Amino acid sequence: MAERSFAKEVQQLRIGEGQEFRGEGILAVTKALLECGVGYVGGYQGAPISHLMDVLADAQDILAELGVHFEASASEATAAATLAASVHYPIRGAVTFKSTVGTNVASDALANLASGGVNGGALIIVGEDYGEGASIMQERSHAFAMKSQIWLLDPRPNLEMIVKSVREGFELSEASNTPVMLEMRIRACHVHGRFKARDNRKPEMSLAEALENPQRDISRIVLPPASFQHEKEKIDKRWPAAVKFIRERGLNEFFGPKEAKKGGNVGIVLQGGMYNGVIRALQRLGLADIRGNTDVPLYVLNVTYPLIDEEFLAFAKDKDAVLVIEEGQPNHIEQAFGAMLHKAGIETKLRGKDPFPMAGEYTGAVMLSSIREFLRDHAGGLLGDKDRAPNEPEAPLVPDLSKAVPPRPPGFCTGCPERPIFAAMKMVQEELGEHHVAADIGCHLFSIMPPFDIGASTMGYGLGPASASAFNVEAKKRPIAVMGDGGFWHNGLSSGVTNAVFNKHDGVILIVDNYYSAATGGQDIPSSRAFNRSRSTKHPITDAVKGVGATWVRHIDRTYDVTKMRDTFREALTTSEKGPKIIVASSECMLNRQRRERPKLAKAIAGGERSVKPRFGVDEDVCTGDHACMRLSGCPSLSVKRLDDPLRDDPVASIDQSCVACGNCGEVADAAVLCPSFYRADVIHNPRRWDRFIGRLRANFRKRLQRRRDAGRLSFGFKVA
């Protein structure tokens, strides 16, 4: 199941010419694809673009009506290779994935695609995950676009411009026989707005027609000597065609006065994705209004590669200074513009990474301070008495939050089935000593943080076992490698398990099975246990690993059984059997499970149905207050509580209302032989007569025991010692 359903929103995709489309950036992209007559769409989920895959999955009926083929690809490389359908045939195709990690995975296919070129339009929609909230290494897509000469669009975060970029992106691809990359930043993916829709179009040539009438142009196949000619074609034909198209269609935009205003003759060049932040900073400086009218000339690069020399030089030639706002590093755009000014002999001062920082996200605070510094240096008259934003204090009133607020490291969700896995691993390491653990991309990466402190490296999605390959040596300890089910099907089966079998690796490989790709939003994968009407699921991971030759395979179908998890880890690390030891640990993602079950439970209770909701608690009289349960679990619902008893100074464990009754705390306590203080209570909503009768019976029995206790005797007549 996906993280959320777009079944209601996708109905807007049916609207036609002149009607107003309202919604999120991702939905706008989908509508634009259908309006452009796309023939096929593929991709791999990953933030911030995962929702595009979910929208397409929910819109399969609409796609089918138009003859559009949609495929959830096994990896980004698979998705990129799908665009080969546009090499020889006039069929428009689009793929989507997370960048830059997805682009890295797809790089081989993308490089070959860009070398031979395309006949039909080919659009690569990448979710640009850059900044302090990113989940990946800090890199940009720009360098890859330059390396392979793929044209890069970075549209202004506005639905009309995003839709225009999809439309023009296909036409740019066809006009220059080059794939085009559409960069969707996090805010662009989730921005809301409206635009005038057009009618959806069927593909000009269907995939079935292409199959029945095969075509082949040997000049587009990447094979020497054609590959050498491809490089010349890029420079002599494709690049000039792209520049001509971008200039004539006006893909880049100019805002603000054409002539210098009193107080300073300056301008700002910016990536399209930075537009909203720039306008907000100028607004705070009193140099722009909420509608985007600005006193400072702006040159907005909705196409950041290739750059258009004529446009920039015309913008810069009559100005004293120009500021280039380019998020990330290296400063490719600033360097290119500097070279243009030098060759043209124009003495306009170029600023960029000074006053802006060389690297890091350009947040609102960074944007404001850097633009203000530039204007102070080169256009102080524009600022005048507005050097400080209205109502802006001399010094920040809020203290440095990194010093004022305790750090909150990322961790597993409440009830996460991966928590007991690493609790068991920690118990075994207490017994057998620390082991080298190669981590992987996914939720299990949180095991690196307290309280588990497990994991030494992460080399890429599904590459956990591969990153332990160098440790395939004789030693007193075995390496442990971890990967998720999504990473396993992405490439871990071949690069990890098959490689380990082939090289007779003696380490331990843990495969965490959440029933679907939990970390990216709950999309189905081959081992998913749910029925999928358009995909083949229910293919066990254990069958796959045995199929490539693994012999020592253990499957635990309930990870909350900490004792079994611990014993299996111990067996894997101590067995004399050679070859990779593979443990498949399965339990459904609790977050997605709660999203599915909570609404059903609430509906049942509201409808008067008998419903049982388990709750866990801690017996305060039994808890010793050593908090070992927290050190082995780290569950957010486990907290501490001080008692009113003056003889007990130490706080005891307590379970708050966020508990989802997974039972992990009790399982951990039992496996570690800690204490019996955890208990389970079943809360019955809309009880029946039998429930009430049993409840009264139990209450009477408890009262009897309490009276005997108060009288100094137990229920069985023994004296209290």
Side-chain angles (χ1 to χ4, degrees), residues 39-98:
Y40 62 97
V41 186
Y44 193 85
Q45 61 273 3
I49 209 75
S50 289
H51 287 169
L52 180 52
M53 295 296 293
D54 297 336
V55 168
L56 289 164
D58 285 337
Q60 286 189 74
D61 290 342
I62 301 173
L63 300 181
E65 292 170 9
L66 295 168
V68 180
H69 173 65
F70 166 65
E71 185 163 296
S73 309
S75 71
E76 297 87 352
T78 306
T82 304
L83 290 172
S86 295
V87 171
H88 298 299
Y89 303 96
I91 305 175
R92 288 181 168 179
V95 296
T96 181
F97 40 75
K98 177 189 183 77

Short mmCIF file of all heavy atoms in Angstrom, two decimals, residues 39-98:
data_model
loop_
_atom_site.label_atom_id
_atom_site.label_comp_id
_atom_site.label_asym_id
_atom_site.label_seq_id
_atom_site.Cartn_x
_atom_site.Cartn_y
_atom_site.Cartn_z
N GLY A 39 3.71 8.67 -24.22
CA GLY A 39 3.37 7.29 -24.57
C GLY A 39 3.65 6.30 -23.48
O GLY A 39 2.97 5.27 -23.38
N TYR A 40 4.64 6.58 -22.63
CA TYR A 40 4.99 5.66 -21.55
C TYR A 40 5.68 6.44 -20.44
O TYR A 40 6.33 7.47 -20.67
CB TYR A 40 5.90 4.53 -22.05
CG TYR A 40 7.22 5.01 -22.60
CD1 TYR A 40 8.38 5.01 -21.82
CD2 TYR A 40 7.33 5.46 -23.92
CE1 TYR A 40 9.60 5.45 -22.32
CE2 TYR A 40 8.55 5.90 -24.43
CZ TYR A 40 9.67 5.89 -23.63
OH TYR A 40 10.87 6.33 -24.12
N VAL A 41 5.50 5.96 -19.21
CA VAL A 41 6.12 6.57 -18.04
C VAL A 41 6.65 5.47 -17.14
O VAL A 41 5.96 4.47 -16.89
CB VAL A 41 5.11 7.43 -17.24
CG1 VAL A 41 5.83 8.18 -16.12
CG2 VAL A 41 4.37 8.40 -18.14
N GLY A 42 7.87 5.62 -16.67
CA GLY A 42 8.46 4.68 -15.73
C GLY A 42 9.12 5.44 -14.61
O GLY A 42 9.23 6.67 -14.65
N GLY A 43 9.58 4.73 -13.59
CA GLY A 43 10.27 5.44 -12.52
C GLY A 43 10.47 4.60 -11.29
O GLY A 43 9.99 3.46 -11.18
N TYR A 44 11.19 5.19 -10.35
CA TYR A 44 11.46 4.55 -9.07
C TYR A 44 11.22 5.58 -7.98
O TYR A 44 11.66 6.73 -8.08
CB TYR A 44 12.89 4.02 -8.99
CG TYR A 44 13.10 3.09 -7.81
CD1 TYR A 44 12.79 1.74 -7.92
CD2 TYR A 44 13.57 3.56 -6.60
CE1 TYR A 44 12.94 0.88 -6.85
CE2 TYR A 44 13.73 2.71 -5.52
CZ TYR A 44 13.42 1.37 -5.65
OH TYR A 44 13.56 0.52 -4.58
N GLN A 45 10.52 5.17 -6.92
CA GLN A 45 10.13 6.09 -5.86
C GLN A 45 11.32 6.57 -5.04
O GLN A 45 12.30 5.86 -4.88
CB GLN A 45 9.11 5.43 -4.94
CG GLN A 45 9.60 4.18 -4.24
CD GLN A 45 9.40 2.92 -5.06
OE1 GLN A 45 8.93 2.98 -6.18
NE2 GLN A 45 9.76 1.78 -4.49
N GLY A 46 11.21 7.77 -4.53
CA GLY A 46 12.24 8.36 -3.67
C GLY A 46 11.90 9.81 -3.43
O GLY A 46 11.48 10.52 -4.34
N ALA A 47 12.06 10.28 -2.19
CA ALA A 47 11.73 11.67 -1.85
C ALA A 47 12.59 12.64 -2.65
O ALA A 47 13.77 12.37 -2.88
CB ALA A 47 11.96 11.90 -0.35
N PRO A 48 12.07 13.77 -3.09
CA PRO A 48 10.70 14.26 -2.85
C PRO A 48 9.74 13.94 -4.00
O PRO A 48 8.70 14.57 -4.12
CB PRO A 48 10.92 15.76 -2.76
CG PRO A 48 12.01 16.02 -3.76
CD PRO A 48 12.92 14.82 -3.68
N ILE A 49 10.07 12.94 -4.82
CA ILE A 49 9.29 12.68 -6.03
C ILE A 49 8.43 11.42 -5.91
O ILE A 49 7.74 11.04 -6.84
CB ILE A 49 10.26 12.56 -7.24
CG1 ILE A 49 9.58 12.98 -8.55
CG2 ILE A 49 10.86 11.17 -7.34
CD1 ILE A 49 9.40 14.45 -8.71
N SER A 50 8.45 10.77 -4.73
CA SER A 50 7.70 9.52 -4.56
C SER A 50 6.23 9.66 -4.94
O SER A 50 5.64 8.75 -5.52
CB SER A 50 7.79 9.04 -3.11
OG SER A 50 9.07 8.57 -2.80
N HIS A 51 5.63 10.81 -4.60
CA HIS A 51 4.20 10.98 -4.83
C HIS A 51 3.85 10.92 -6.32
O HIS A 51 2.71 10.60 -6.67
CB HIS A 51 3.72 12.30 -4.23
CG HIS A 51 3.64 12.26 -2.73
ND1 HIS A 51 3.44 13.38 -1.96
CD2 HIS A 51 3.74 11.23 -1.87
CE1 HIS A 51 3.42 13.05 -0.68
NE2 HIS A 51 3.60 11.75 -0.61
N LEU A 52 4.80 11.25 -7.18
CA LEU A 52 4.50 11.16 -8.61
C LEU A 52 4.23 9.72 -9.01
O LEU A 52 3.30 9.44 -9.78
CB LEU A 52 5.67 11.73 -9.43
CG LEU A 52 5.49 11.71 -10.96
CD1 LEU A 52 4.18 12.36 -11.38
CD2 LEU A 52 6.66 12.42 -11.64
N MET A 53 5.00 8.79 -8.45
CA MET A 53 4.75 7.37 -8.71
C MET A 53 3.40 6.94 -8.13
O MET A 53 2.66 6.17 -8.74
CB MET A 53 5.88 6.53 -8.11
CG MET A 53 7.24 6.75 -8.75
SD MET A 53 7.28 6.26 -10.46
CE MET A 53 7.09 4.49 -10.31
N ASP A 54 3.07 7.46 -6.95
CA ASP A 54 1.80 7.10 -6.32
C ASP A 54 0.62 7.65 -7.12
O ASP A 54 -0.40 6.98 -7.28
CB ASP A 54 1.75 7.64 -4.88
CG ASP A 54 2.84 7.03 -4.00
OD1 ASP A 54 3.29 5.92 -4.33
OD2 ASP A 54 3.22 7.66 -3.01
N VAL A 55 0.75 8.88 -7.62
CA VAL A 55 -0.31 9.47 -8.43
C VAL A 55 -0.51 8.67 -9.71
O VAL A 55 -1.65 8.36 -10.09
CB VAL A 55 0.02 10.95 -8.76
CG1 VAL A 55 -0.91 11.48 -9.84
CG2 VAL A 55 -0.07 11.82 -7.52
N LEU A 56 0.58 8.31 -10.37
CA LEU A 56 0.49 7.53 -11.60
C LEU A 56 -0.15 6.17 -11.35
O LEU A 56 -0.94 5.68 -12.16
CB LEU A 56 1.88 7.37 -12.21
CG LEU A 56 2.48 8.64 -12.82
CD1 LEU A 56 3.98 8.48 -13.04
CD2 LEU A 56 1.79 9.00 -14.14
N ALA A 57 0.19 5.56 -10.21
CA ALA A 57 -0.39 4.26 -9.87
C ALA A 57 -1.90 4.37 -9.66
O ALA A 57 -2.66 3.51 -10.09
CB ALA A 57 0.28 3.68 -8.62
N ASP A 58 -2.33 5.47 -9.01
CA ASP A 58 -3.76 5.66 -8.77
C ASP A 58 -4.50 6.09 -10.03
O ASP A 58 -5.74 6.01 -10.08
CB ASP A 58 -3.98 6.72 -7.68
CG ASP A 58 -3.67 6.18 -6.29
OD1 ASP A 58 -3.72 4.95 -6.11
OD2 ASP A 58 -3.36 6.98 -5.39
N ALA A 59 -3.77 6.55 -11.04
CA ALA A 59 -4.40 7.04 -12.28
C ALA A 59 -4.29 6.03 -13.42
O ALA A 59 -4.47 6.41 -14.59
CB ALA A 59 -3.75 8.36 -12.70
N GLN A 60 -4.06 4.77 -13.11
CA GLN A 60 -3.83 3.79 -14.18
C GLN A 60 -5.03 3.62 -15.10
O GLN A 60 -4.87 3.37 -16.29
CB GLN A 60 -3.43 2.44 -13.56
CG GLN A 60 -2.01 2.44 -13.02
CD GLN A 60 -1.53 1.07 -12.61
OE1 GLN A 60 -1.23 0.22 -13.44
NE2 GLN A 60 -1.47 0.84 -11.32
N ASP A 61 -6.24 3.78 -14.58
CA ASP A 61 -7.42 3.68 -15.45
C ASP A 61 -7.43 4.80 -16.48
O ASP A 61 -7.74 4.58 -17.66
CB ASP A 61 -8.70 3.74 -14.61
CG ASP A 61 -8.89 2.49 -13.76
OD1 ASP A 61 -8.25 1.46 -14.07
OD2 ASP A 61 -9.66 2.54 -12.78
N ILE A 62 -7.07 6.00 -16.05
CA ILE A 62 -7.02 7.15 -16.97
C ILE A 62 -5.90 6.95 -17.98
O ILE A 62 -6.08 7.23 -19.18
CB ILE A 62 -6.81 8.46 -16.17
CG1 ILE A 62 -7.96 8.65 -15.18
CG2 ILE A 62 -6.70 9.65 -17.10
CD1 ILE A 62 -7.78 9.82 -14.24
N LEU A 63 -4.75 6.46 -17.53
CA LEU A 63 -3.63 6.20 -18.44
C LEU A 63 -4.03 5.17 -19.49
O LEU A 63 -3.70 5.30 -20.68
CB LEU A 63 -2.41 5.72 -17.66
CG LEU A 63 -1.82 6.67 -16.58
CD1 LEU A 63 -0.61 6.03 -15.93
CD2 LEU A 63 -1.45 8.00 -17.19
N ALA A 64 -4.73 4.13 -19.04
CA ALA A 64 -5.14 3.06 -19.96
C ALA A 64 -6.08 3.59 -21.03
O ALA A 64 -6.01 3.19 -22.21
CB ALA A 64 -5.79 1.93 -19.18
N GLU A 65 -6.99 4.50 -20.66
CA GLU A 65 -7.92 5.08 -21.63
C GLU A 65 -7.17 5.83 -22.73
O GLU A 65 -7.64 5.88 -23.88
CB GLU A 65 -8.88 6.03 -20.91
CG GLU A 65 -9.85 5.34 -19.96
CD GLU A 65 -10.60 6.33 -19.09
OE1 GLU A 65 -10.49 7.55 -19.36
OE2 GLU A 65 -11.30 5.90 -18.14
N LEU A 66 -6.03 6.42 -22.37
CA LEU A 66 -5.25 7.19 -23.34
C LEU A 66 -4.19 6.34 -24.05
O LEU A 66 -3.51 6.84 -24.95
CB LEU A 66 -4.56 8.37 -22.63
CG LEU A 66 -5.48 9.43 -22.04
CD1 LEU A 66 -4.70 10.37 -21.13
CD2 LEU A 66 -6.18 10.22 -23.15
N GLY A 67 -4.05 5.09 -23.63
CA GLY A 67 -3.03 4.24 -24.24
C GLY A 67 -1.64 4.52 -23.74
O GLY A 67 -0.65 4.32 -24.47
N VAL A 68 -1.53 4.99 -22.49
CA VAL A 68 -0.23 5.30 -21.89
C VAL A 68 0.21 4.13 -21.03
O VAL A 68 -0.54 3.67 -20.16
CB VAL A 68 -0.31 6.58 -21.02
CG1 VAL A 68 1.06 6.89 -20.42
CG2 VAL A 68 -0.80 7.76 -21.85
N HIS A 69 1.43 3.65 -21.26
CA HIS A 69 1.96 2.54 -20.46
C HIS A 69 2.70 3.09 -19.26
O HIS A 69 3.58 3.94 -19.39
CB HIS A 69 2.91 1.69 -21.31
CG HIS A 69 3.63 0.63 -20.52
ND1 HIS A 69 2.99 -0.42 -19.92
CD2 HIS A 69 4.96 0.49 -20.21
CE1 HIS A 69 3.87 -1.18 -19.30
NE2 HIS A 69 5.07 -0.64 -19.45
N PHE A 70 2.33 2.61 -18.06
CA PHE A 70 3.02 3.01 -16.83
C PHE A 70 3.67 1.79 -16.20
O PHE A 70 3.06 0.73 -16.11
CB PHE A 70 2.04 3.64 -15.83
CG PHE A 70 2.61 3.77 -14.44
CD1 PHE A 70 3.69 4.60 -14.20
CD2 PHE A 70 2.08 3.05 -13.38
CE1 PHE A 70 4.23 4.71 -12.92
CE2 PHE A 70 2.60 3.15 -12.11
CZ PHE A 70 3.68 3.99 -11.87
N GLU A 71 4.91 1.98 -15.75
CA GLU A 71 5.63 0.87 -15.14
C GLU A 71 6.42 1.35 -13.94
O GLU A 71 7.17 2.33 -14.03
CB GLU A 71 6.57 0.23 -16.17
CG GLU A 71 7.28 -1.01 -15.67
CD GLU A 71 7.85 -1.83 -16.81
OE1 GLU A 71 7.05 -2.32 -17.63
OE2 GLU A 71 9.08 -1.95 -16.90
N ALA A 72 6.23 0.68 -12.81
CA ALA A 72 7.06 0.93 -11.63
C ALA A 72 8.34 0.13 -11.83
O ALA A 72 8.34 -1.09 -11.76
CB ALA A 72 6.34 0.49 -10.36
N SER A 73 9.43 0.82 -12.09
CA SER A 73 10.68 0.17 -12.48
C SER A 73 11.39 -0.46 -11.28
O SER A 73 11.20 -0.04 -10.14
CB SER A 73 11.61 1.18 -13.15
OG SER A 73 10.93 1.87 -14.19
N ALA A 74 12.22 -1.46 -11.56
CA ALA A 74 12.96 -2.14 -10.50
C ALA A 74 14.03 -1.24 -9.89
O ALA A 74 14.41 -1.42 -8.74
CB ALA A 74 13.60 -3.42 -11.05
N SER A 75 14.52 -0.28 -10.64
CA SER A 75 15.54 0.65 -10.16
C SER A 75 15.55 1.86 -11.08
O SER A 75 14.88 1.89 -12.12
CB SER A 75 16.93 0.00 -10.14
OG SER A 75 17.39 -0.19 -11.47
N GLU A 76 16.32 2.87 -10.71
CA GLU A 76 16.45 4.05 -11.55
C GLU A 76 17.13 3.72 -12.88
O GLU A 76 16.82 4.33 -13.91
CB GLU A 76 17.24 5.14 -10.82
CG GLU A 76 16.57 5.67 -9.57
CD GLU A 76 16.88 4.86 -8.32
OE1 GLU A 76 17.50 3.79 -8.44
OE2 GLU A 76 16.50 5.29 -7.21
N ALA A 77 18.06 2.76 -12.85
CA ALA A 77 18.72 2.35 -14.09
C ALA A 77 17.71 1.71 -15.04
O ALA A 77 17.73 1.95 -16.25
CB ALA A 77 19.85 1.37 -13.78
N THR A 78 16.81 0.90 -14.49
CA THR A 78 15.76 0.30 -15.30
C THR A 78 14.88 1.37 -15.91
O THR A 78 14.53 1.32 -17.10
CB THR A 78 14.89 -0.63 -14.43
OG1 THR A 78 15.72 -1.57 -13.77
CG2 THR A 78 13.87 -1.37 -15.27
N ALA A 79 14.51 2.37 -15.10
CA ALA A 79 13.66 3.46 -15.61
C ALA A 79 14.35 4.21 -16.74
O ALA A 79 13.76 4.45 -17.80
CB ALA A 79 13.32 4.41 -14.46
N ALA A 80 15.62 4.59 -16.53
CA ALA A 80 16.34 5.35 -17.55
C ALA A 80 16.49 4.55 -18.84
O ALA A 80 16.36 5.10 -19.95
CB ALA A 80 17.71 5.75 -17.02
N ALA A 81 16.74 3.26 -18.72
CA ALA A 81 16.88 2.43 -19.91
C ALA A 81 15.57 2.32 -20.69
O ALA A 81 15.57 2.12 -21.91
CB ALA A 81 17.38 1.03 -19.53
N THR A 82 14.45 2.50 -19.98
CA THR A 82 13.14 2.47 -20.64
C THR A 82 13.04 3.53 -21.72
O THR A 82 12.35 3.35 -22.73
CB THR A 82 12.03 2.69 -19.58
OG1 THR A 82 12.14 1.70 -18.56
CG2 THR A 82 10.65 2.59 -20.20
N LEU A 83 13.74 4.65 -21.55
CA LEU A 83 13.68 5.74 -22.52
C LEU A 83 14.27 5.35 -23.88
O LEU A 83 14.16 6.12 -24.84
CB LEU A 83 14.41 6.97 -21.97
CG LEU A 83 13.72 7.68 -20.80
CD1 LEU A 83 14.61 8.76 -20.22
CD2 LEU A 83 12.39 8.28 -21.25
N ALA A 84 14.86 4.17 -23.97
CA ALA A 84 15.34 3.69 -25.26
C ALA A 84 14.21 3.58 -26.28
O ALA A 84 14.45 3.61 -27.49
CB ALA A 84 16.02 2.32 -25.09
N ALA A 85 12.97 3.49 -25.80
CA ALA A 85 11.82 3.43 -26.72
C ALA A 85 11.68 4.71 -27.53
O ALA A 85 11.02 4.72 -28.57
CB ALA A 85 10.54 3.15 -25.94
N SER A 86 12.30 5.79 -27.06
CA SER A 86 12.22 7.07 -27.79
C SER A 86 13.42 7.30 -28.70
O SER A 86 13.48 8.33 -29.38
CB SER A 86 12.12 8.24 -26.78
OG SER A 86 10.91 8.18 -26.07
N VAL A 87 14.34 6.37 -28.74
CA VAL A 87 15.54 6.54 -29.57
C VAL A 87 15.18 6.46 -31.06
O VAL A 87 15.54 7.33 -31.86
CB VAL A 87 16.62 5.51 -29.21
CG1 VAL A 87 17.76 5.55 -30.23
CG2 VAL A 87 17.16 5.77 -27.81
N HIS A 88 14.46 5.42 -31.46
CA HIS A 88 14.15 5.20 -32.88
C HIS A 88 12.72 5.58 -33.26
O HIS A 88 12.43 5.73 -34.44
CB HIS A 88 14.37 3.73 -33.24
CG HIS A 88 15.79 3.27 -33.06
ND1 HIS A 88 16.85 3.81 -33.75
CD2 HIS A 88 16.32 2.32 -32.25
CE1 HIS A 88 17.97 3.20 -33.39
NE2 HIS A 88 17.68 2.30 -32.47
N TYR A 89 11.84 5.72 -32.26
CA TYR A 89 10.43 5.92 -32.55
C TYR A 89 9.98 7.30 -32.07
O TYR A 89 10.45 7.79 -31.04
CB TYR A 89 9.58 4.84 -31.87
CG TYR A 89 9.98 3.44 -32.27
CD1 TYR A 89 10.86 2.71 -31.46
CD2 TYR A 89 9.52 2.86 -33.44
CE1 TYR A 89 11.25 1.42 -31.82
CE2 TYR A 89 9.90 1.57 -33.81
CZ TYR A 89 10.77 0.86 -33.00
OH TYR A 89 11.16 -0.40 -33.37
N PRO A 90 9.05 7.94 -32.80
CA PRO A 90 8.55 9.26 -32.39
C PRO A 90 7.54 9.15 -31.26
O PRO A 90 6.39 9.60 -31.36
CB PRO A 90 7.91 9.79 -33.68
CG PRO A 90 7.44 8.56 -34.38
CD PRO A 90 8.45 7.49 -34.08
N ILE A 91 7.95 8.53 -30.16
CA ILE A 91 7.09 8.33 -29.00
C ILE A 91 7.67 9.11 -27.83
O ILE A 91 8.86 8.96 -27.51
CB ILE A 91 6.99 6.84 -28.63
CG1 ILE A 91 6.53 6.01 -29.82
CG2 ILE A 91 6.07 6.65 -27.43
CD1 ILE A 91 6.53 4.52 -29.56
N ARG A 92 6.84 9.90 -27.20
CA ARG A 92 7.31 10.66 -26.04
C ARG A 92 7.29 9.77 -24.80
O ARG A 92 6.30 9.09 -24.52
CB ARG A 92 6.42 11.88 -25.81
CG ARG A 92 6.61 12.97 -26.85
CD ARG A 92 5.74 14.18 -26.60
NE ARG A 92 6.14 15.30 -27.45
CZ ARG A 92 5.56 16.49 -27.47
NH1 ARG A 92 4.52 16.72 -26.66
NH2 ARG A 92 6.00 17.45 -28.26
N GLY A 93 8.40 9.80 -24.06
CA GLY A 93 8.51 9.01 -22.84
C GLY A 93 9.03 9.85 -21.69
O GLY A 93 9.78 10.81 -21.90
N ALA A 94 8.64 9.49 -20.47
CA ALA A 94 9.10 10.20 -19.28
C ALA A 94 9.43 9.20 -18.19
O ALA A 94 8.76 8.17 -18.07
CB ALA A 94 8.04 11.18 -18.78
N VAL A 95 10.46 9.49 -17.43
CA VAL A 95 10.81 8.67 -16.27
C VAL A 95 11.06 9.61 -15.09
O VAL A 95 11.35 10.80 -15.27
CB VAL A 95 12.05 7.79 -16.52
CG1 VAL A 95 11.77 6.78 -17.62
CG2 VAL A 95 13.28 8.62 -16.84
N THR A 96 10.96 9.07 -13.89
CA THR A 96 11.14 9.89 -12.70
C THR A 96 11.86 9.12 -11.62
O THR A 96 11.68 7.91 -11.48
CB THR A 96 9.77 10.38 -12.18
OG1 THR A 96 9.98 11.20 -11.02
CG2 THR A 96 8.86 9.22 -11.83
N PHE A 97 12.71 9.81 -10.88
CA PHE A 97 13.39 9.22 -9.73
C PHE A 97 14.03 10.32 -8.91
O PHE A 97 14.07 11.48 -9.31
CB PHE A 97 14.44 8.18 -10.14
CG PHE A 97 15.27 8.54 -11.35
CD1 PHE A 97 16.28 9.48 -11.30
CD2 PHE A 97 15.04 7.90 -12.57
CE1 PHE A 97 17.05 9.78 -12.42
CE2 PHE A 97 15.79 8.20 -13.70
CZ PHE A 97 16.80 9.14 -13.63
N LYS A 98 14.52 9.93 -7.76
CA LYS A 98 15.17 10.84 -6.83
C LYS A 98 16.58 11.17 -7.34
O LYS A 98 17.28 10.30 -7.87
CB LYS A 98 15.26 10.16 -5.47
CG LYS A 98 15.98 10.92 -4.37
CD LYS A 98 16.16 9.99 -3.18
CE LYS A 98 16.81 10.67 -1.99
NZ LYS A 98 15.88 11.50 -1.27
#
